[in-house]
Amino acid sequence: MISNKELKKYNKKNSHSYTFSMFPTFELLQNKVQYVEMVLLHTNVSKENRKKVYDICEKNNIDITINDHIIERIRDKDNCLLIGVFRKYSCELVHNRNHVVLVNPSDSGNMGTIIRTCVGFGIHDLAVIEPAVDIFSPKVVRATMGALFHINFQSFSSFEEYYKKYGNERKIYPFMLKGAVALDEIYPENVPFSLVFGNEATGLDDGWLDVGKSILIPHSKEIDSLNLSLAVGIGLYEFTKKVKSPDKKYQCRHNSCG
């Protein structure tokens, strides 16, 4: 059990993290309640939201602490009235599902937006190649709007380590400025795929041209590249409208689908 003295500004070395604000905290309570240590409640929380919190916490024997001072000490914004305190946890990816692979992502906002986008397009498995931004950072958690608690994520020291475990009978598609095939010309086979994206600053180097089938997202020459989270969103849109996820849980709703 985490004590009140341990509740300080987030530190990557800690064994716990936080959800700041209402929506991510409710997502945590509804989807990963087994990892929740306590809930911190500000006195300014509305009666309606207070009742929702109490109902969930009482049902799951979760401690509720009403303490404005602790919340003000650890929150990152003044409008945060509800904080979930949860233990960090590990996951493994599902072999027969589609994956997104991020190679050395460094921006918290991009990471959070990508996780939310993955869930939006029915992708629930994310591989992260280290070094990378801390996925448990409250900034990442906030940017996901609670989508973090809907996915499996796993870190790897290298892409080779990821491929050794999950690459068998899987199609690999690195997204690159020098990609061999334009995104709108790709018609993936109905087997699990991995969409691979590089760092915000450097992307994927030329060595990735020999890995799987490299993909280019065509865009105007007036810019040098697309934002990482936008590129992931475009890639997921195109792939998920053409191929149903192998687990068949995601029903494609795009008008261009047959």
Side-chain angles (χ1 to χ4, degrees):
M1 177 65 70
I2 297 172
S3 67
N4 287 351
K5 291 182 179 180
E6 296 178 86
L7 299 177
K8 301 176 181 179
K9 289 287 187 181
Y10 176 75
N11 188 315
K12 184 177 181 179
K13 295 180 181 180
N14 291 344
S15 62
H16 65 276
S17 186
Y18 308 112
T19 52
F20 293 146
S21 76
M22 296 288 176
F23 194 83
T25 302
F26 281 124
E27 288 293 299
L28 169 66
L29 290 169
Q30 291 166 358
N31 295 284
K32 296 294 182 183
V33 68
Q34 68 270 35
Y35 300 110
V36 180
E37 288 286 324
M38 69 175 75
V39 171
L40 300 172
L41 206 61
H42 197 280
T43 53
N44 290 337
V45 171
S46 68
K47 290 183 178 179
E48 180 182 358
N49 284 325
R50 186 179 299 231
K51 183 180 185 306
K52 289 180 181 179
V53 172
Y54 269 91
D55 287 346
I56 296 174
C57 290
E58 288 177 358
K59 180 180 178 181
N60 293 281
N61 296 315
I62 296 171
D63 289 337
I64 298 176
T65 299
I66 301 176
N67 192 314
D68 294 2
H69 176 69
I70 294 178
I71 290 178
E72 290 163 6
R73 185 173 72 207
I74 66 176
R75 69 186 179 183
D76 60 356
K77 291 185 179 181
D78 291 341
N79 63 351
C80 176
L81 303 179
L82 180 65
I83 297 177
V85 184
F86 67 96
R87 301 187 307 279
K88 294 178 181 178
Y89 55 92
S90 60
C91 311
E92 287 208 354
L93 309 184
V94 178
H95 279 268
N96 68 339
R97 295 202 305 210
N98 300 323
H99 299 170
V100 164
V101 182
L102 300 181
V103 180
N104 313 137
S106 61
D107 184 86
S108 299
N110 274 339
M111 173 73 95
T113 301
I114 288 168
I115 291 171
R116 188 180 180 191
T117 302
C118 285
V119 174
F121 285 105
I123 304 297
H124 293 88
D125 294 85
L126 174 68
V128 179
I129 310 302
E130 300 284 356
V133 65
D134 176 16
I135 200 168
F136 284 116
S137 164
K139 292 181 179 179
V140 173
V141 177
R142 183 192 286 271
T144 73
M145 288 297 290
L148 175 65
F149 308 118
H150 292 265
I151 69 165
N152 298 311
F153 53 87
Q154 192 172 355
S155 295
F156 301 87
S157 61
S158 65
F159 179 77
E160 289 73 22
E161 181 187 2
Y162 163 78
Y163 189 83
K164 183 177 180 180
K165 186 165 186 176
Y166 294 105
N168 190 36
E169 298 182 358
R170 168 179 298 275
K171 296 297 182 180
I172 307 295
Y173 297 98
F175 279 66
M176 307 175 62
L177 292 175
K178 296 181 179 180
V181 182
L183 178 60
D184 57 350
E185 296 175 359
I186 192 74
Y187 291 92
E189 300 173 34
N190 193 25
V191 297
F193 59 73
S194 294
L195 308 186
V196 185
F197 298 86
N199 178 274
E200 290 89 343
T202 60
L204 298 175
D205 62 38
D206 289 355
W208 287 87
L209 290 170
D210 298 323
V211 179
K213 182 175 290 186
S214 59
I215 305 294
L216 166 70
I217 300 178
H219 59 71
S220 165
K221 293 182 179 179
E222 295 178 88
I223 61 171
D224 59 350
S225 63
L226 296 170
N227 172 271
L228 175 60
S229 60
L230 180 59
V232 174
I234 292 172
L236 287 175
Y237 175 84
E238 283 293 327
F239 269 77
T240 58
K241 81 178 183 180
K242 293 173 180 176
V243 176
K244 183 182 290 186
S245 183
D247 62 10
K248 301 186 185 303
K249 291 182 179 179
Y250 179 68
Q251 298 296 320
C252 186
R253 296 187 294 273
H254 304 313
N255 291 334
S256 57
C257 294

